[in-house]
Amino acid sequence: MSLWTRRKFFLTSLASSAVVGAGKLFGPAPAVEAAAPTATAQGKRPLIISSANGLHALDKGMDVLKKGGDTLDAAIAAVTVVEDDPNDDSVGYGGLPNEEGEVELDASCMHGPTGRAGSVASVRRIKNVARLAKTVMEKTNHVMIVGEGARRFAVAEGFEEINLLTEHSRLIWLAWKASSSFNWRPGIDSPEWKEHVSSIFSGDEEKIAYAERVIAHPPTGTIPCMAVNEKGDISATTTTSGLAWKIPGRVGDSPIIGAGCCVDNEVGAAGSTGKGEENIKISGGHTIIEMMRKGMSPKDACLEALNRVAHNYKNDKKKLATFHIFFYALNKDGAHGAASLWRNTYNRSHHAAYAVHDGTQARLVDCAPLFDDVGGDT
């Protein structure tokens, strides 16, 4: 497979520039089981894990593993289901946009057997950015391509350009924009704003409640996914539409190798969701890998990363309560674990959980919380 030279990329990009999708948003929450310490410590292969919004997608990844496919192909097969899903507004098609109403996507991947990596950031109009990150890894001698250059590279490689903003996400963005017009702030009711939002959603109370929640607590929705096969080879990917209503060009941890995605085929893999800035500051993915290398379980390694986040705030719970962050880890033996800064999810409807598929069926397992308090905004 030939690598792209800088000159070839420039010329092809120049020519191409002249031619121009968790579970369902309003569905019932699936049952969550408590982590099984014995099974988790022992591990099982093949195995694939992700954040909770990948629960319905892990079958695709496990199918790849059971057929002897590559672990990175398995992880990307799973997250592609979520990227394609217009009802998941945290990833890919239908993701919540930036402050200007543009959906910008980020993704990264690492292939354990070869130690290679690929990443893209601030990509517009390209839906499957996890696969695009893999294409960067395979077709270039770069690790990261961003913005307009990443879009042109995608088009040159045959990716389809589409409008990523669904009507659902557009309406929520309009409601968010209107919040400043009515001097509305999260936690303060404004009858005028509520009336306006009701008109936007034609009185649909369920959609109004959801819009209010994501405007008050802008989601940092993401899906990291890690897979290990029977031989112990391991790979991972992380894909996201980033922080809702972000400044255009803002990039979180998802495309940052060593933060939102990290793999060492001799040890394991790690990923994250939540406030990416906090993860970047501690190189969370790398931290977890190194803790597992020293013998920590995946769960304890994730908790150590959270401890470092909390330490940056001197464990001040009032300051820490302004955000949420989760870490996920899988080692090469198939042992897995995850941890959350707070016990609850941002909407306080259920405990933080992650998705696991061990070859039988996908299920949700509770994350280990650093703090038991009901806190955390996103």
Side-chain angles (χ1 to χ4, degrees):
M1 192 176 300
S2 62
L3 294 178
W4 277 62
T5 63
R6 183 175 299 177
R7 176 177 173 80
K8 178 182 176 184
F9 174 63
F10 173 76
L11 293 175
T12 307
S13 299
L14 187 64
S16 64
S17 65
V19 182
V20 176
K24 305 305 177 186
L25 287 176
F26 307 116
V32 183
E33 64 181 53
T38 302
T40 302
Q42 182 178 357
K44 183 176 180 180
R45 301 188 313 212
L47 191 128
I48 185 168
I49 73 170
S50 75
S51 50
N53 57 336
L55 178 69
H56 66 293
L58 292 188
D59 281 340
K60 287 286 187 183
M62 182 53 68
D63 285 345
V64 174
L65 294 177
K66 285 184 174 180
K67 292 175 182 176
D70 185 81
T71 49
L72 184 54
D73 289 338
I76 290 178
V79 302
T80 297
V81 173
V82 188
E83 288 177 336
D84 288 345
D85 186 356
N87 291 316
D88 187 309
D89 59 20
S90 67
V91 178
Y93 180 54
L96 294 175
N98 64 24
E99 64 181 7
E100 296 178 353
E102 287 277 356
V103 179
E104 291 183 322
L105 306 180
D106 310 320
S108 61
C109 68
M110 290 194 75
H111 185 240
T114 61
R116 300 179 67 193
S119 173
V120 292
S122 294
V123 181
R124 299 183 179 187
R125 303 188 63 82
I126 303 296
K127 178 173 59 174
N128 299 126
V129 286
R131 188 160 56 88
L132 180 58
K134 183 172 182 279
T135 305
V136 170
M137 182 189 82
E138 293 176 334
K139 296 290 187 73
T140 80
N141 60 0
H142 305 325
V143 169
M144 175 179 276
I145 302 178
V146 305
E148 179 63 12
R151 185 198 63 79
R152 294 201 307 266
F153 172 74
V155 171
E157 284 295 321
F159 285 76
E160 178 187 6
E161 284 192 272
I162 66 168
N163 179 10
L164 297 172
L165 189 66
T166 60
E167 183 65 5
H168 162 80
S169 292
R170 187 184 72 85
L171 293 177
I172 296 177
W173 172 69
L174 288 176
W176 170 79
K177 283 196 65 169
S179 67
S180 59
S181 301
F182 289 97
N183 295 317
W184 178 86
R185 300 195 309 275
I188 299 177
D189 291 332
S190 165
E192 295 84 5
W193 182 79
K194 285 183 175 291
E195 181 179 350
H196 180 73
V197 171
S198 181
S199 69
I200 288 176
F201 291 99
S202 303
D204 188 320
E205 292 298 329
E206 205 168 26
K207 291 183 178 180
I208 292 170
Y210 181 78
E212 288 179 344
R213 191 162 66 244
V214 299
I215 290 169
H217 309 289
T220 52
T222 302
I223 176 170
C225 185
M226 289 139 268
V228 63
N229 63 16
E230 291 181 349
K231 297 186 298 182
D233 286 332
I234 192 165
S235 296
T237 185
T238 301
T239 180
T240 188
S241 57
L243 177 66
W245 337 127
K246 61 192 173 186
I247 295 173
R250 176 267 184 186
V251 175
D253 63 317
S254 295
I256 306 300
I257 301 300
C261 181
C262 194
V263 175
D264 185 317
N265 208 51
E266 296 180 356
V267 180
S272 179
T273 61
K275 190 179 179 184
E277 285 80 358
E278 304 305 329
N279 184 18
I280 292 171
K281 287 187 286 186
I282 66 155
S283 300
H286 181 264
T287 292
I288 291 167
I289 296 294
E290 292 309 304
M291 292 303 101
M292 291 196 294
R293 192 190 308 276
K294 291 181 178 181
M296 275 193 183
S297 70
K299 181 192 77 172
D300 289 343
C302 290
L303 286 170
E304 171 59 23
L306 287 172
N307 270 311
R308 296 187 185 198
V309 171
H311 181 73
N312 280 342
Y313 289 85
K314 297 180 171 55
N315 290 300
D316 185 332
K317 289 186 179 180
K318 186 175 180 180
K319 293 179 179 178
L320 290 166
T322 62
F323 64 88
H324 214 334
I325 187 168
F326 307 75
F327 289 105
Y328 313 83
L330 173 65
N331 72 19
K332 69 182 285 90
D333 294 324
H336 55 87
S340 57
L341 185 61
W342 304 98
R343 178 172 293 280
N344 62 294
T345 56
Y346 80 90
N347 62 14
R348 295 166 173 78
S349 64
H350 55 273
H351 288 176
Y354 67 109
V356 179
H357 199 314
D358 62 3
T360 52
Q361 65 177 6
R363 68 191 192 281
L364 289 180
V365 178
D366 274 339
C367 296
L370 183 64
F371 299 121
D372 279 331
D373 311 53
V374 176
D377 276 352
T378 58

